[in-house]
């Protein structure tokens, strides 16, 4: 759907919408809130100081954690409590006018196993007591459906009413994995998503499947850090587990209605920590070192990581800083890396407002190793020129028609990346049904150096994307959100969300690429901007039936522009029923996403080919998902999802034999060049299963995904190697993960197994061998003879910790216990083998 409006009309609509949302009285729009109050609310004279301080609080629906924070801010109290003693995700409704803080606190804690004890002039401690005889709402176990999910809103909402599948990786899971690698974080926890294990010297993440193929071998989700869009999702390869509160993953195009264009495969929302620490710990220091095995190194390779975490402040005003340094030695000739991560944040809580800030910095320097498998690749990679692949050189003088080979000098080249994120979010509650939020932030990177890539004549899509991104980029994000809640959770309730978002990306690609007839393209700068307006309505009846509908109107400018406004709809529903302690849920949803042809990753390619985005159709994906969920408190959970999606006009760099290829005077009559082409229509369908069991000290989490990603129709003019009925390359048909954790009083242990199996990809070794013995490029249908099936890879990781004495803990981890070094996603990629590390952690 395409709609055209003039600039003045669009501006007036935006101003009117903003005025209505931000300045209309709540009572006029939605009516005043109504919450049931305890009879103790009026008894203000029986509370000791400081619990006798009068407060006024109004909020229709918020988590108990936020209610306690707002109460503490309104009464100028310091509340101290252990988070495991309270169901902090439980939703509450508060409506008090000039009521003693003790009365409000008593209502919020009714039925729980804690009681408030005054410990100072302004400090109140929530101490454990004996469980009450009568079970109340606060005492009942809160199941997974009560967790708060930030689904495109700055305020969060319970998972109970979500119509689409969302996976949450919480802080406890991140701590058990004790690794910052994004692939190890996601593969065993998120069904339907698979990331190929990357070498430490690689700067880009490589997604093998996002419910199948959402692009041709360069699938990626849209990634946000505290609501700030990341400039290049492929460059986010690692996280700081100690600095992350939780990670939310939306799979499929259902998230595009909230997050906009380029979210056709899914969305990853990383929520950073802003608290003041656990148990009063102000500092944490962890240092570990070990060795990794490699079949291509003469001795074990040193691996080390050192982390410092600092947290301080109070429950209302807190700040945090996390610093990490790490390095990996040369696991193959020249392939080494060292990195540094820094994360900082703060939080200020008021009775009606909250302000959070986030800062992130990541630096990595990596050596581009020499492949131990292929010594003589036949041609440079896609987009690579003789000036770029120094120190490559021709092997002697040959006849013009003879095969050409190249060798690589022993001196290894290097590459580096610098990333940063700065942003803040301010939220304000009007004291009634309306809540407003404003997010401001910027994310960017600087990428430099020589990327060698895969030494085969067929381009690795991920290496081509690395070269396309070489240079710098900065993306600014501004988002204003207003949310109105009305009705009663016991009857009919509704939440209406309006948002306006503006994003601007400035990218400069560092290139020196020759074109036919002696032309060159130097540094290439491009501006891309997008403006989106979102409207969403979530309605519920008696907490059992839920309906969600949303629409985003978005306009993109610059190279990523499409004509007029693009509409991105989403519609879904869910039915929840409680059978005693067992809760069941049926859900279904539809979504549509779009990715313009001229994305930042393709901007330099389009310029190099003298093309425009109008020469290529935008990539699209739409489809349905339906699922069944079952929960038994926090003891057991089960999620089963069936999805059926269609992707249209996915773009592939296609090899073409041409005398105009940009390698002049090399003695060949036909040389290899690449053109971006739309492939056609792709069908992505399959099943996802996710389950967890928490039985005392034992915790089990498992995922299984079955994916069938195939070509249905080819686009007119497509000249690549795919045909109707073919499976999409490098997309595993089956993925699975299982993580088990045992937690005791003084020690804990975790074991994780992940497996991907049954995919089709190029035989890189055979291609390199054939290219070195023939003078003619291998293109089109000829490439099909170099397809091969890959059976699969299995990875086993383990970790353990043991409290030694005082604040000191021994930690150990084992990665890749099966010593898998080759086989994913092809037979030319090499990664480190078995890695064993040990160290000490201290908390103060």
């Amino acid at each position: 759907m395409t709609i055209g409006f003039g600039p003045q009309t669009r501006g007036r609509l935006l101003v009117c919408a903003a005025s209505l949302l931000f300045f209309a009285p709540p009572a006029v729009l939605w009516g005043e809130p109504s919450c049931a109050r305890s009879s103790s609310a009026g008894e203000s004279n029986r509370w000791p100081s400081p619990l006798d301080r009068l407060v006024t609080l109004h909020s229709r629906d918020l988590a108990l954690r936020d209610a306690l924070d707002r109460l503490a801010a309104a009464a100028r109290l310091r509340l101290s409590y252990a988070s495991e003693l309270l169901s902090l995700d439980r939703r509450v409704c508060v409506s008090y006018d000039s009521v003693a803080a003790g009365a409000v606190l008593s209502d919020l804690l009714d039925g729980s196993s804690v009681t408030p004890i005054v410990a100072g002039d302004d400090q109140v401690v929530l101490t454990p007591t004996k469980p009450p005889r009568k079970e109340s709402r606060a005492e009942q176990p809160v199941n997974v459906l009560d967790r708060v999910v930030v689904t495109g809103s700055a305020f969060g909402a319970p998972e109970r009413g979500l119509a689409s599948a969302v996976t949450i990786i919480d802080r406890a899971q991140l701590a058990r994995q004790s690794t910052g690698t994004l692939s190890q974080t996601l593969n065993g926890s998120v069904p339907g998503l698979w990331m190929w294990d990357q070498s430490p010297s690689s700067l880009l993440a490589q997604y093998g499947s996002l419910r199948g193929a959402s692009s041709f071998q360069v699938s990626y989700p849209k990634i946000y850090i505290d609501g700030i869009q990341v400039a290049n999702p492929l460059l986010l390869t690692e996280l700081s587990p100690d600095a992350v509160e939780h990670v939310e993953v939306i799979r499929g195009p259902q998230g595009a209605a909230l997050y906009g264009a380029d979210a056709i495969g899914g969305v990853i929302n990383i929520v950073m920590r802003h608290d003041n620490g656990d148990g009063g710990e102000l500092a944490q220091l962890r240092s570990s070192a070990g060795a990794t095995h490699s079949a291509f190194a003469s001795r074990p390779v040193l691996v080390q990581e050192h982390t410092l975490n600092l947290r301080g402040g109070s429950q209302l005003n807190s700040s945090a800083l996390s610093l990490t340094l790490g390095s990996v030695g040369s696991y193959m000739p020249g392939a080494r890396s060292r990195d540094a991560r820094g994360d900082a944040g703060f939080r200020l809580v008021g009775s009606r407002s909250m302000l959070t800030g986030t800062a992130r910095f990541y630096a990595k320097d990596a050596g581009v190793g020499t492949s131990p498998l292929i010594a003589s690749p036949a041609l440079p990679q896609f987009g690579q020129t003789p000036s770029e692949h120094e120190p490559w050189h021709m092997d002697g003088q040959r006849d013009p028609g003879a095969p050409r080979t190249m060798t690589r000098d022993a001196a290894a080249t290097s590459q580096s990346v610098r990333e940063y994120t700065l942003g803040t979010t301010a939220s304000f509650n009007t004291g009634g049904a309306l809540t407003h939020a404003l997010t401001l932030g910027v994310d960017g990177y600087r990428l430099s150096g020589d990327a060698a890539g895969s030494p085969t004549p067929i381009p690795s899509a991920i290496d081509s994307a690395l070269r396309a991104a070489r240079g710098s980029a900065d993306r600014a994000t501004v988002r204003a959100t207003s949310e109105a809640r009305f009705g009663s959770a016991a009857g009919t309730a509704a939440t209406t969300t309006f948002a306006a978002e503006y994003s601007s990306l400035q990218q400069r690609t560092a290139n020196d690429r020759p074109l036919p007839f002696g032309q060159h393209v130097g540094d290439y700068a491009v501006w891309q901007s997008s403006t989106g307006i979102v409207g969403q309505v979530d309605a519920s009846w008696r907490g059992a039936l839920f309906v969600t509908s949303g629409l985003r109107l978005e306009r993109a400018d610059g190279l990523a522009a499409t004509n007029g406004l693009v509409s991105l709809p989403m519609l879904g529903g869910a039915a929840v029923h409680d059978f005693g302690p067992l809760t069941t849920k049926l859900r279904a949803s539809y979504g549509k996403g779009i990715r313009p042809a001229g994305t930042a990753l393709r901007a330099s390619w389009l310029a190099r080919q003298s093309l425009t985005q109008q020469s290529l159709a935008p990539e699209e994906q739409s489809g349905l998902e339906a699922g069944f969920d079952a929960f038994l408190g926090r003891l057991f959970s089960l999620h089963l999802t069936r999805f059926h999606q269609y992707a249209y006009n996915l773009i592939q760099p296609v090899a073409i034999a041409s005398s105009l290829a940009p390698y002049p005077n090399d003695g060949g009559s036909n040389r290899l060049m690449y053109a971006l082409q739309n492939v056609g229509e792709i069908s992505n369908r399959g099943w996802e299963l996710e389950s967890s069991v928490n039985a005392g000290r034992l915790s089990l989490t498992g995922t299984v995904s079955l994916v069938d990603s195939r070509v249905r129709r080819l686009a007119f003019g497509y000249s690549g190697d795919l045909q109707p009925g073919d499976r999409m390359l490098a997309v595993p048909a089956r993925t699975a993960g299982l993580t088990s954790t045992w937690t005791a009083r003084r020690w804990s242990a975790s074991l994780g197994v992940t497996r991907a199996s049954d995919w089709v990809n190029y035989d890189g070794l055979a291609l390199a061998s054939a290219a070195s013995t023939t003078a003619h490029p291998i293109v089109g249908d000829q490439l099909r003879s170099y397809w091969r099936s890959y059976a699969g890879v299995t990875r086993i990781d383990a970790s353990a910790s043991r409290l030694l004495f005082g604040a000191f803990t021994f930690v150990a981890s084992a990665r890749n216990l099966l010593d898998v070094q080759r086989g994913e996603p092809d037979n030319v990629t090499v990664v480190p083998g078995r890695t064993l590390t040990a160290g000490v952690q201290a908390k103060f």
Side-chain angles (χ1 to χ4, degrees), residues 242-437:
D242 299 299
V244 176
E245 178 65 30
H246 65 270
V247 179
E248 301 171 0
V249 182
I250 302 174
R251 308 182 294 279
Q254 280 76 3
L258 293 171
Y259 293 94
D262 214 22
I264 66 174
V267 176
I268 296 178
N269 188 19
I270 302 170
V271 181
M272 307 300 289
R273 289 185 62 181
H274 298 291
D275 59 357
N276 62 333
D278 297 324
E281 295 157 357
L282 301 180
Q284 181 187 84
L285 178 64
R286 183 172 61 249
S287 182
S288 62
T292 183
H293 171 257
S294 175
F296 308 101
S298 58
R299 61 178 62 89
V301 178
L302 175 65
V303 177
Q304 57 181 328
E305 184 174 274
H306 312 282
T307 300
L308 172 65
N309 297 308
L310 300 174
R311 298 190 179 276
S314 64
Q315 183 183 9
L316 303 181
N317 306 311
S318 60
S319 59
L321 175 66
S322 177
L323 300 174
T324 301
L325 297 175
S327 68
V328 179
S330 297
Y331 67 95
M332 69 179 192
R336 65 194 180 281
S337 71
R338 61 179 184 271
D339 61 85
R341 301 194 299 268
D343 297 272
F346 70 87
R347 183 179 70 161
L348 304 176
V349 180
S351 60
R352 293 187 179 182
S353 62
M354 180 182 296
L355 179 68
T356 61
T358 297
R360 178 184 73 102
F361 178 76
Y362 176 73
K364 185 172 185 176
D365 296 314
V368 180
T370 302
S371 173
L373 304 177
I374 304 175
S376 300
L379 286 172
Q381 283 282 296
F382 170 51
Q384 191 180 39
T385 67
S387 64
E388 292 181 60
H389 58 65
E390 298 292 341
W392 294 89
H393 63 270
M394 301 302 296
D395 275 344
Q397 301 294 323
R398 299 177 180 241
D399 295 334
R404 321 288 290 187
T405 61
M406 297 181 182
T407 59
R408 187 174 178 83
D409 291 341
T413 57
S414 62
Q415 52 190 339
S416 66
V417 65
R418 304 290 185 266
E419 302 175 43
Y420 74 93
T421 304
L422 291 171
T424 183
T425 296
S427 61
F428 176 76
N429 182 270
T430 61
L434 276 178
T435 305
H436 307 296

Side-chain angles (χ1 to χ4, degrees), residues 468-693:
R470 197 178 65 179
S472 63
D474 301 279
R475 181 186 292 277
T477 301
V478 180
R479 182 186 305 105
T481 306
S482 285
E483 181 180 86
R485 299 176 183 267
F486 53 98
S488 171
T492 302
T495 300
T496 303
T497 303
F498 295 97
E501 180 179 13
Y502 176 78
S503 175
S504 179
L505 173 69
Q506 193 276 338
Q507 183 183 29
R508 181 176 296 276
T509 302
N511 288 313
D512 181 20
R513 307 189 183 280
L515 292 175
F517 312 113
Q519 301 177 19
H520 281 74
V521 175
D523 289 354
Y524 183 73
V526 59
W527 281 91
Q528 298 178 14
S529 61
S530 63
T531 304
I533 301 176
V534 179
Q536 179 172 313
V537 177
D538 301 290
S540 65
W541 181 73
R542 294 188 176 181
L545 297 178
F546 301 86
V547 176
T548 299
S549 63
L551 178 66
R552 182 184 179 106
L553 299 179
E554 182 163 348
R555 181 176 180 83
D557 300 324
L559 289 176
T562 55
N563 296 325
L565 289 173
V566 177
S567 63
L568 303 174
M570 192 272 287
L571 179 65
V576 181
H577 189 74
D578 296 317
F579 297 93
L582 176 66
T583 300
T584 61
K585 177 180 177 180
L586 294 174
R587 49 181 168 79
S589 62
Y590 166 84
K592 174 186 176 182
I594 190 170
R595 176 176 292 154
T599 61
L601 292 176
R602 301 193 187 104
S604 60
W605 299 357
L606 294 172
R608 194 164 58 247
Q609 298 177 27
S610 300
L611 296 174
T612 65
Q613 63 271 17
Q614 283 77 19
S615 304
L616 294 166
E619 298 175 309
E620 298 183 27
Q621 184 165 217
S622 61
L624 294 165
E625 71 167 53
F628 170 78
D629 303 328
F631 307 90
L632 190 61
R634 292 190 180 272
L635 176 64
F636 170 79
S637 68
L638 173 70
H639 307 264
L640 178 65
T641 303
R642 169 68 175 177
F643 63 91
H644 194 168
Q645 303 166 179
Y646 290 100
Y648 305 92
N649 301 314
L650 300 190
I651 296 174
Q652 177 189 11
V654 176
I656 299 174
S658 172
S659 58
L660 300 181
Y663 303 102
N665 304 319
D666 64 355
S669 57
N670 272 334
R671 285 292 158 254
L672 199 62
M673 68 177 296
Y674 294 89
L676 297 178
Q677 296 182 1
N678 291 117
V679 176
E681 181 180 339
I682 311 299
S683 171
N684 293 314
R685 63 181 69 182
W687 293 89
E688 298 167 350
L689 176 65
E690 178 183 2
S691 183
S692 64
V693 176

